Amino acid sequence: MRDQILYEYKHPSGQKITLIHGDLVAQEVDAIVNAANERLRHGGGVAAIIVQRGGSVINQESRDWLREHGLVTHKEPAHTSGGDLACQYIIHAVGPVWGSGNEDEKLTDSIEGSLALADKLSLSSIAFSAISTGIFGFPKKRAATIFYNTFQTYFSSHPESGLEDVRMVVFDRPTTEDFAEVWQEVFGA
């Protein structure tokens, strides 16, 4: 699949935020953000594709991370190498399961935690998947609003962030349409 850039927004502190209909795993960025679970079991969805294309080293590094740090939380994502992928790192962000309670806050924590980890690792580019909108059942438009607002809030409160290129990468057409509709509401066309 060829990437299709749908929209770009330049935040006042300089970060470029882009909505892309494309393949997260093929992004040439410093880090991609995997929609993970707290045990870093990459058995389905985006996580399975990441391991399939990135190699078994990602599973091994995930097991090593768990042994050293314990379960992954919403606020503090894990990270591994990118394995055979074009990215240097994979940030494993735990998104909320719809119906678990405080879902908006948990998704915000996952996004903020990923951005903060990227800054801690001195990264300049990052690509997000639509965390929690697949098998975790988070409503897509609601998630899009949270993503876009969290990006803006984070960069407004961290104008010194080294992140220059922030991508929201969605694969399937229905999710793309929902994220595009919300983009126009939040950022304008």
Side-chain angles (χ1 to χ4, degrees), residues 1-3 20-36 45-50 53 85-87 89-92 126-131 147 166-172:
M1 161 185 251
R2 289 188 84 170
D3 285 347
I20 298 172
H21 177 233
D23 184 354
L24 174 76
V25 182
Q27 298 300 304
E28 293 181 10
V29 290
D30 294 335
I32 61 171
V33 180
N34 174 30
V46 173
I49 294 167
I50 287 172
R53 291 180 31 200
L85 301 176
C87 60
Y89 293 102
I90 301 168
I91 293 175
H92 302 277
I126 189 170
F128 282 83
S129 61
I131 299 168
F147 268 98
V166 178
R167 302 175 190 184
M168 186 74 237
V169 183
V170 287
F171 184 76
D172 67 282

Side-chain angles (χ1 to χ4, degrees), residues 8-52:
E8 290 182 351
Y9 171 80
K10 188 83 162 191
H11 190 272
S13 59
Q15 294 80 14
K16 180 177 75 171
I17 302 168
T18 310
L19 175 61
I20 298 172
H21 177 233
D23 184 354
L24 174 76
V25 182
Q27 298 300 304
E28 293 181 10
V29 290
D30 294 335
I32 61 171
V33 180
N34 174 30
N37 56 60
E38 64 184 3
R39 297 187 184 280
L40 298 180
R41 292 188 180 138
H42 312 303
V46 173
I49 294 167
I50 287 172
V51 171
Q52 178 186 26

Side-chain angles (χ1 to χ4, degrees), residues 54-173:
S56 61
V57 67
I58 296 166
N59 274 332
Q60 183 57 53
E61 290 178 14
S62 294
R63 287 189 293 272
D64 293 345
W65 198 94
L66 277 173
R67 272 195 295 281
E68 185 175 338
H69 302 280
L71 298 178
V72 184
T73 67
H74 298 290
K75 286 186 177 189
E76 295 185 19
H79 69 283
T80 62
S81 75
D84 294 330
L85 301 176
C87 60
Q88 183 179 0
Y89 293 102
I90 301 168
I91 293 175
H92 302 277
V94 176
V97 174
W98 188 251
S100 64
N102 299 320
E103 296 94 336
D104 291 0
E105 180 182 333
K106 290 173 184 174
L107 183 58
T108 300
D109 286 347
S110 295
I111 299 163
E112 284 179 354
S114 298
L115 293 167
L117 179 55
D119 273 333
K120 182 178 176 183
L121 294 169
S122 300
L123 307 182
S124 64
S125 58
I126 189 170
F128 282 83
S129 61
I131 299 168
S132 287
T133 63
I135 59 172
F136 283 8
F138 205 106
K140 293 173 183 175
K141 288 182 182 177
R142 186 173 183 148
T145 301
I146 292 168
F147 268 98
Y148 302 150
N149 288 337
T150 303
F151 291 159
Q152 292 194 84
T153 300
Y154 183 85
F155 293 123
S156 293
S157 61
H158 298 86
E160 76 291 347
S161 171
L163 284 166
E164 299 169 356
D165 178 5
V166 178
R167 302 175 190 184
M168 186 74 237
V169 183
V170 287
F171 184 76
D172 67 282
R173 184 54 64 187

